[in-house]
Amino acid sequence: MQDLKQSAQQCAAEFWEAFRRLDDDLLNAGSRSGFEEVDALMKRFDSFKATFDNLVRQTEVKHIRQRNALLPIHKLPDELLHLIFHLLLFTTTGLRRSRYVQRISTLRAVSWWWRDLIGRSPLFWAHISSKDHADFVSEALERSLNLPLHLRYIGSHAYRRELAFWDKAFAHHHRWESVAIHEPEGGVIQKYFYLPTPSLKNLLLSTVTGNVRVEAGLDKLFGGALANLEVLRAVQWQNIDWSYGHFTRLRVLEIEDHYALTMGTIFDILSGNPCLEVFRLHYAIIAPYTPPHPLPSPIDLESLKELKWMEVQQEMDPWTGLEGRDVALARILQRIRVPACSKFEVSSWLQDGSGVSPEELVRLILPPMQVIKTARTASEQSTPHPVVVEALFGESEFQLKVSKDSCSSPSFSIRLEALPRSIAKRWMTEQLGEESGRTLDLRLSFEYPGGESSLEDIIYFQQWESVTKLAIDGSSGSQRTIAHELFQLSTPCVSPNGAKMMPFPALQTLRLSYLSFKGKDLIASMTTRFSSNAPITSEAGISAPAALTIVLADGTGVYTEAYIDEIEAIPGIKVVKFLEESPPMHDASSVHSASDWPPPRQPFQLDDDDESGDPSGLEGDPDSENPI
């Protein structure tokens, strides 16, 4: 190592001397004793060194590529390597990943083989954005050959650059298959988006302001020739008059933040697109609607796999005075038949005087176990894991999330505000009451901010062998005593067949927050629950009770800290934990839109796909530590 350092020092000295001789020959310079002469010399040296470093780097890249060509991955067949590149560049839905241009540049810099493979793969060049560097756009349009193009346009103040982008893209107008438009400039729409595009299959529209400065409805965009559309998403695009939407091939329809819809138009679109697979409607207002009498035949959507209906409100009918979110929800569920639905998501609330009773509304909701059965694959059905159910009985809402297993996102999710708790419990019993602990993993959560009793809820569910988690939450402003509830957990109950059983025999986690109780009461309850005299089998013969973890969240520690060791010493208690965060079942994020479009909702703010800089920025760094 010391020899290398000495050699480097010698090379550095020789480099400087070589520059001095070259500088003397070129400038015929004399003495450089003055400041100005030395300063000019150093500036010339900096320029010389930068040129030299670049040439050295180019030489280094050649050797790096030669080394990389010897890596084991280069023994893979082109087909397999092509598949790996595709996974790096595109999402499972076919959209290009963030930093798409940088990823391509990095991959091409690894070796000549990779560069050649990517260069002769037209599919990798068929996705371009108005934020891409102009050189990359030109190269992509050339290398994509005749493949269908996927264009993404994000409006900004760089109007001239946008026109240059569209001038290039418009020359390939006949290849446009997918177009995504966000925050467009009126001039761009008029010049490039009014001509028919028969090859267009996917159209995504979004804007932050809610309005576009020019006519941009379905009758104007692409000349109104949208009959071949398969995917249509519109977010805050208020210019659309949906009555002009003469579609027959839609597979995906998503509408968000729209205030001029009618139920009649929605039914016309649904009935006219029998191959529809995804229908999402978020935060929309439905115009007053009087259903025909008698009601038309149901709309059979046998291909529909996902139905999402989020916060949709109907305006007041001036004749009947009816309004509310539940009206539109009830009407859509009354009219459609979705036997293949494997993802069902609803968020709404009931409103007095809407003309829809709570009992009527919940009867229209798809059975959760039917949705789960449809969502599970053949292999999942042959070796099923317990279905995970999270139920929250909140202060003014009822939430239910059902997932295929503990590792899956919810396939069924409803959030109904102002639904009476008694109706929610009765509906749960009808839908899930016959499921055993072998097929169901039920996690219950009850909120009591007003200080009312929770004993009735515990008694209602105490014989359910599927309950594995129970959360009881008070409020920070009203800590209530739950001594009765604690003793109820250790009081044997009688099953319908007359046998004694311990409440919640499969309970594994008990979570308490903002509740008042004495440590000795908790000790007495748990000691009785796990005593040898307690019933040891449930109605179905399951060993009971299960070992228990007790979680003490905010508002409980002061009453029990002195008793922790004694509680954990009780046979059957696994551990006592102190936590401050809310339980997962309180998280309502799953009822929000998870669309991969539009970009973030800040005007003119670029997302991770802003790659207007030099697309070759990583060409000279193929050996970076984490280039992809």
Side-chain angles (χ1 to χ4, degrees):
M1 193 67 184
Q2 185 65 26
D3 292 341
L4 288 176
K5 183 176 181 180
Q6 291 177 355
S7 297
Q9 290 175 343
Q10 181 178 351
C11 288
E14 293 175 354
F15 178 78
W16 172 260
E17 289 302 323
F19 165 73
R20 286 286 300 267
R21 289 194 298 270
L22 179 64
D23 194 59
D24 289 341
D25 293 341
L26 292 176
L27 299 179
N28 194 22
S31 172
R32 298 185 179 90
S33 57
F35 172 81
E36 293 183 356
E37 291 84 358
V38 174
D39 183 59
L41 172 70
M42 296 308 300
K43 289 179 179 179
R44 292 194 297 273
F45 177 74
D46 289 341
S47 178
F48 175 78
K49 182 175 179 296
T51 304
F52 180 82
D53 288 343
N54 185 49
L55 293 173
V56 170
R57 182 56 176 161
Q58 291 181 20
T59 304
E60 180 186 7
V61 166
K62 293 179 182 178
H63 290 287
I64 290 174
R65 283 176 172 162
Q66 182 181 4
R67 180 205 64 185
N68 291 344
L70 300 175
L71 292 172
I73 194 172
H74 284 279
K75 298 179 181 180
L76 295 177
D78 282 4
E79 296 78 9
L80 183 55
L81 198 58
H82 189 280
L83 177 60
I84 294 173
F85 290 166
H86 191 276
L87 294 175
L88 288 170
L89 296 172
F90 300 100
T91 67
T92 55
T93 58
L95 298 175
R96 58 184 242 176
R97 295 187 184 276
S98 62
R99 301 300 179 188
Y100 173 80
V101 177
Q102 286 190 5
R103 288 170 183 255
I104 284 185
S105 300
T106 301
L107 292 172
R108 296 177 75 195
V110 170
S111 69
W112 291 112
W113 178 35
W114 284 25
R115 185 180 187 87
D116 177 66
L117 177 60
I118 293 174
R120 54 185 169 84
S121 301
L123 183 62
F124 295 158
W125 301 92
H127 297 249
I128 57 176
S129 167
S130 60
K131 299 304 178 186
D132 293 341
H133 190 276
D135 292 343
F136 177 83
V137 172
S138 299
E139 185 177 8
L141 291 171
E142 178 182 350
R143 291 188 179 276
S144 59
L145 301 180
N146 291 319
L147 285 186
L149 289 176
H150 304 264
L151 301 115
R152 192 175 191 182
Y153 165 48
I154 305 176
S156 68
H157 291 298
Y159 186 60
R160 291 185 178 178
R161 192 179 76 184
E162 292 174 4
L163 291 180
F165 169 81
W166 285 113
D167 282 341
K168 294 178 181 179
F170 198 72
H172 302 263
H173 180 262
H174 60 285
R175 292 201 283 144
W176 292 5
E177 181 178 284
S178 175
V179 176
I181 306 172
H182 177 67
E183 210 61 50
E185 289 287 339
V188 171
I189 287 184
Q190 288 178 318
K191 186 173 182 180
Y192 302 105
F193 296 146
Y194 274 6
L195 293 180
T197 308
S199 60
L200 189 63
K201 294 182 179 179
N202 297 356
L203 180 59
L204 285 69
L205 308 170
S206 70
T207 173
V208 175
T209 60
N211 288 283
V212 182
R213 296 178 182 176
V214 298
E215 292 186 86
L218 297 178
D219 59 327
K220 295 293 184 181
L221 289 174
F222 304 102
L226 303 175
N228 292 327
L229 272 186
E230 296 180 6
V231 176
L232 176 57
R233 294 178 178 173
V235 178
Q236 288 191 303
W237 199 280
Q238 303 298 332
N239 302 62
I240 290 181
D241 182 349
W242 289 94
S243 61
Y244 286 99
H246 304 300
F247 320 108
T248 58
R249 301 182 182 181
L250 284 180
R251 293 184 298 102
V252 177
L253 175 61
E254 180 169 12
I255 306 171
E256 182 172 345
D257 282 354
H258 197 79
Y259 306 105
L261 286 169
T262 67
M263 290 302 300
T265 299
I266 293 175
F267 291 144
D268 288 343
I269 294 176
L270 295 180
S271 61
N273 292 270
C275 295
L276 195 66
E277 298 177 10
V278 176
F279 177 47
R280 305 181 185 127
L281 185 62
H282 331 241
Y283 313 109
I285 295 180
I286 307 294
Y289 173 73
T290 302
H293 184 76
L295 287 176
S297 301
I299 301 172
D300 292 318
L301 299 174
E302 297 183 357
S303 300
L304 194 75
K305 299 176 182 178
E306 178 181 345
L307 175 61
K308 181 179 290 188
W309 189 273
M310 314 298 295
E311 308 298 343
V312 179
Q313 182 174 356
Q314 180 164 317
E315 291 181 342
M316 177 178 290
D317 189 323
W319 299 104
T320 64
L322 299 183
E323 64 176 337
R325 289 165 171 77
D326 48 353
V327 177
L329 174 60
R331 284 174 176 162
I332 195 72
L333 295 178
Q334 286 171 340
R335 284 294 307 277
I336 63 175
R337 299 290 183 270
V338 287
C341 184
S342 58
K343 188 172 181 60
F344 180 82
E345 197 166 353
V346 165
S347 178
S348 184
W349 69 66
L350 284 69
Q351 190 165 339
D352 293 338
S354 65
V356 180
S357 68
E359 293 85 354
E360 179 184 0
L361 182 63
V362 296
R363 280 198 300 267
L364 295 172
I365 293 175
L366 294 185
M369 296 306 291
Q370 173 186 316
V371 175
I372 290 296
K373 184 178 180 180
T374 306
R376 278 184 161 172
T377 62
S379 59
E380 290 172 334
Q381 292 179 9
S382 61
T383 57
H385 297 282
V387 174
V388 176
V389 178
E390 295 181 275
L392 167 64
F393 295 86
E395 176 184 6
S396 60
E397 66 178 2
F398 170 64
Q399 289 188 40
L400 186 76
K401 302 178 186 179
V402 187
S403 308
K404 294 187 294 183
D405 51 54
S406 58
C407 299
S408 304
S409 59
S411 297
F412 178 97
S413 177
I414 62 172
R415 176 177 177 269
L416 299 175
E417 292 195 37
L419 180 68
R421 185 169 292 191
S422 59
I423 296 177
K425 291 191 294 187
R426 188 162 59 247
W427 179 81
M428 265 194 67
T429 302
E430 294 171 356
Q431 300 296 328
L432 305 172
E434 296 183 1
E435 300 293 330
S436 69
R438 296 183 180 89
T439 59
L440 209 66
D441 178 357
L442 178 57
R443 304 165 186 185
L444 293 174
S445 180
F446 297 97
E447 293 181 347
Y448 304 98
E452 62 271 25
S453 173
S454 59
L455 188 60
E456 179 183 345
D457 294 326
I458 291 178
I459 294 175
Y460 187 92
F461 288 101
Q462 65 183 354
Q463 295 184 22
W464 287 46
E465 299 171 357
S466 55
V467 178
T468 62
K469 294 183 179 180
L470 176 63
I472 306 176
D473 300 306
S475 68
S476 57
S478 175
Q479 290 188 335
R480 46 184 299 277
T481 302
I482 59 163
H484 294 295
E485 287 83 345
L486 292 178
F487 284 108
Q488 186 64 36
L489 294 176
S490 60
T491 303
C493 56
V494 180
S495 67
N497 65 0
K500 281 189 175 183
M501 63 179 291
M502 188 60 68
F504 305 109
L507 186 65
Q508 300 174 21
T509 303
L510 173 64
R511 183 187 184 280
L512 307 173
S513 66
Y514 291 113
L515 299 168
S516 175
F517 55 89
K518 297 179 180 179
K520 61 181 182 181
D521 289 340
L522 183 58
I523 293 174
S525 174
M526 295 299 104
T527 301
T528 303
R529 180 177 177 84
F530 293 103
S531 69
S532 58
N533 296 326
I536 60 172
T537 58
S538 64
E539 183 176 355
I542 302 174
S543 296
L548 186 63
T549 295
I550 299 177
V551 180
L552 302 176
D554 285 347
T556 57
V558 67
Y559 304 104
T560 54
E561 286 182 355
Y563 298 89
I564 293 300
D565 293 340
E566 194 172 348
I567 295 172
E568 290 184 333
I570 300 173
I573 299 296
K574 293 176 64 175
V575 67
V576 178
K577 299 179 179 179
F578 287 94
L579 295 178
E580 295 183 358
E581 64 269 17
S582 300
M585 65 181 68
H586 284 256
D587 179 18
S589 60
S590 70
V591 300
H592 295 156
S593 171
S595 301
D596 36 35
W597 184 263
R601 290 192 175 189
Q602 284 78 30
F604 312 115
Q605 175 177 321
L606 308 182
D607 62 1
D608 285 342
D609 277 336
D610 177 29
E611 305 189 88
S612 56
D614 185 356
S616 61
L618 294 180
E619 286 281 6
D621 189 19
D623 198 35
S624 58
E625 182 177 349
N626 187 20
I628 300 174

